[in-house]
């Protein structure tokens, strides 16, 4: 394939833009897989679950405390009724029965009050644990909000830079002959670097240095000959003109940009 040397060299600009686009895509993938962001999200979820579970446990304890308090009230009412009956002049046998029942009710009340005290102590401990969980939850929300804001900022920057690079690429591709662009695109579809500069005897894509024998046909090739690297297959762009090279199709002013 033949192509103006200046057009060939424009492939290096196209490659630079494609490299930038690949780097931007990699930055976006790293953001999507950011372990710090994932950790902050998981911590927030875990603390939210913990707070919800503690709230549920406290609600269960409140029901138990309410049940015990109702039983205590019933015991107290029963004891009050028995004392009223004793004061109303019951028989000796009735008094003995009422006294026995009062003693039993007193033991029951003491047991219930001990149970209530234990439940209230457990509730107090859960209240403190819930308060700490909520404090940590608020802290985790702040951390995640900051992480999301920073992530959003970076994504915005990446999207802006990607749009700019894509626009630059489109403008570059329009000004390169179709056949040359098609060759570049076929290579680029298979590997990240489709065009690289030949610096001295080294291909800047695979970084392999050509042997003196390999350089003979490269140096002998016409200046408008499109060369391929035998090792990596990329388009090999000559930026150092051979001393005996014929006049290129591009203007000397254009070529000076690459000297």
């Amino acid at each position: 394939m033949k192509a103006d040397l200046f057009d060939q060299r424009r492939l290096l600009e196209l490659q630079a833009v494609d490299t930038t686009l690949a780097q931007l895509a990699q930055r976006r993938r790293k953001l999507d897989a950011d372990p710090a962001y994932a950790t902050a999200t998981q911590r927030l979820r875990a603390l939210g679950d913990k707070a919800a579970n503690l709230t549920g446990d406290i609600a269960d304890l409140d029901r138990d405390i309410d049940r015990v308090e109702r039983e205590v009230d019933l015991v107290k009412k029963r004891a009050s009724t028995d004392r009223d009956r004793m004061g109303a002049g019951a028989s000796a046998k009735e008094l003995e029965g009422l006294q026995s029942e009062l003693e039993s009710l007193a033991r029951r009340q003491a047991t219930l009050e001990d149970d209530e005290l234990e439940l209230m102590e457990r509730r107090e401990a859960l209240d403190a644990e819930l308060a700490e969980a909520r404090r940590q939850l608020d802290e985790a929300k702040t951390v995640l909000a900051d992480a999301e804001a920073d992530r959003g900022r970076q994504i915005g920057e990446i999207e802006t830079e990607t749009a700019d690079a894509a626009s630059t690429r489109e403008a570059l591709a329009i000004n390169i002959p179709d056949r040359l662009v098609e060759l570049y695109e076929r290579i680029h579809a298979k590997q990240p670097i489709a065009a690289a500069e030949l610096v001295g005897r080294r291909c800047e894509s695979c970084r392999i240095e050509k042997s003196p024998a390999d350089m003979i046909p490269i140096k002998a090739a016409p200046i408008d000959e499109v060369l391929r690297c035998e090792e990596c297959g990329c388009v090999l762009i000559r930026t150092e003109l051979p001393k005996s090279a014929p006049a290129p199709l591009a203007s000397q002013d254009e070529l000076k940009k690459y000297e």
Side-chain angles (χ1 to χ4, degrees):
M1 179 189 293
K2 302 287 185 180
D4 185 295
L5 180 59
F6 182 67
D7 288 330
Q8 291 186 46
R9 289 175 173 180
R10 278 188 165 175
L11 290 182
L12 293 177
E13 299 177 46
L14 191 61
Q15 178 63 68
V17 173
D18 280 339
T19 298
T20 297
L21 287 169
Q23 291 169 345
L24 289 168
Q26 176 62 18
R27 281 174 58 192
R28 178 57 191 267
R29 287 192 292 271
K30 286 179 67 177
L31 275 178
D32 290 339
D34 183 8
Y37 179 78
T39 298
T41 302
Q42 292 170 0
R43 177 170 171 73
L44 181 65
R45 186 181 301 115
L47 287 169
D49 290 344
K50 182 177 182 179
N53 290 335
L54 287 170
T55 300
D57 292 342
I58 289 172
D60 291 341
L61 280 175
D62 284 341
R63 284 191 291 272
D64 290 340
I65 291 170
D66 185 61
R67 174 183 55 77
V68 171
E69 286 178 343
R70 289 197 304 272
E71 289 189 40
V72 169
D73 286 342
L74 289 174
V75 169
K76 287 180 177 180
K77 288 179 181 179
R78 179 67 179 180
S80 178
T81 299
D82 287 351
R83 283 191 289 271
D84 288 343
R85 288 173 62 191
M86 291 177 68
S91 65
K93 186 175 181 179
E94 287 177 330
L95 287 173
E96 183 179 353
L98 291 170
Q99 183 61 41
S100 177
E101 183 172 316
L102 282 172
E103 291 173 358
S104 177
L105 289 171
R107 289 192 298 270
R108 177 58 179 164
Q109 180 176 338
T111 298
L112 289 171
E113 288 175 344
D114 287 343
D115 290 344
E116 182 181 9
L117 179 61
E118 181 182 349
L119 290 171
M120 293 181 71
E121 287 175 348
R122 286 171 56 192
R123 192 190 191 286
E124 184 178 353
L126 288 180
D127 277 339
E129 192 174 352
L130 178 59
E132 176 61 19
R134 285 174 172 168
R135 185 193 67 77
Q136 293 180 6
L137 183 61
D138 289 340
E139 185 180 88
K141 286 179 179 178
T142 300
V143 170
L144 183 59
D146 290 344
E148 287 177 335
D150 183 60
R151 182 172 180 270
R153 177 187 59 77
Q154 293 187 62
I155 288 175
E157 291 175 356
I158 290 171
E159 289 177 346
T160 298
E161 292 177 34
T162 298
D164 291 344
S167 178
T168 300
R169 188 187 198 282
E170 183 178 358
L172 280 171
I174 289 174
N175 292 304
I176 301 174
D178 290 345
R179 288 183 63 201
L180 195 56
V181 172
E182 289 170 3
L183 172 63
Y184 173 89
E185 298 291 11
R186 285 200 303 272
I187 300 170
H188 192 255
K190 299 176 183 178
Q191 58 193 53
I193 299 180
E197 184 179 2
L198 177 64
V199 178
R201 293 192 288 123
R202 185 182 64 200
C203 168
E204 288 296 285
S205 172
C206 60
R207 315 291 291 181
I208 296 175
E209 194 164 288
K210 311 293 183 185
S211 69
D214 292 333
M215 291 299 296
I216 293 174
I218 293 175
K219 291 180 178 180
I223 199 65
D224 61 345
E225 184 75 27
V226 178
L227 302 179
R228 300 279 298 275
C229 176
E230 292 184 359
E231 281 73 25
C232 67
C234 74
V235 177
L236 203 56
I237 311 297
R238 290 168 287 175
T239 56
E240 298 176 3
L241 292 177
K243 294 179 180 179
S244 60
L249 297 179
S251 70
Q252 292 296 333
D253 289 338
E254 289 174 331
L255 292 176
K256 283 180 181 178
K257 298 177 183 177
Y258 298 89
E259 293 179 353

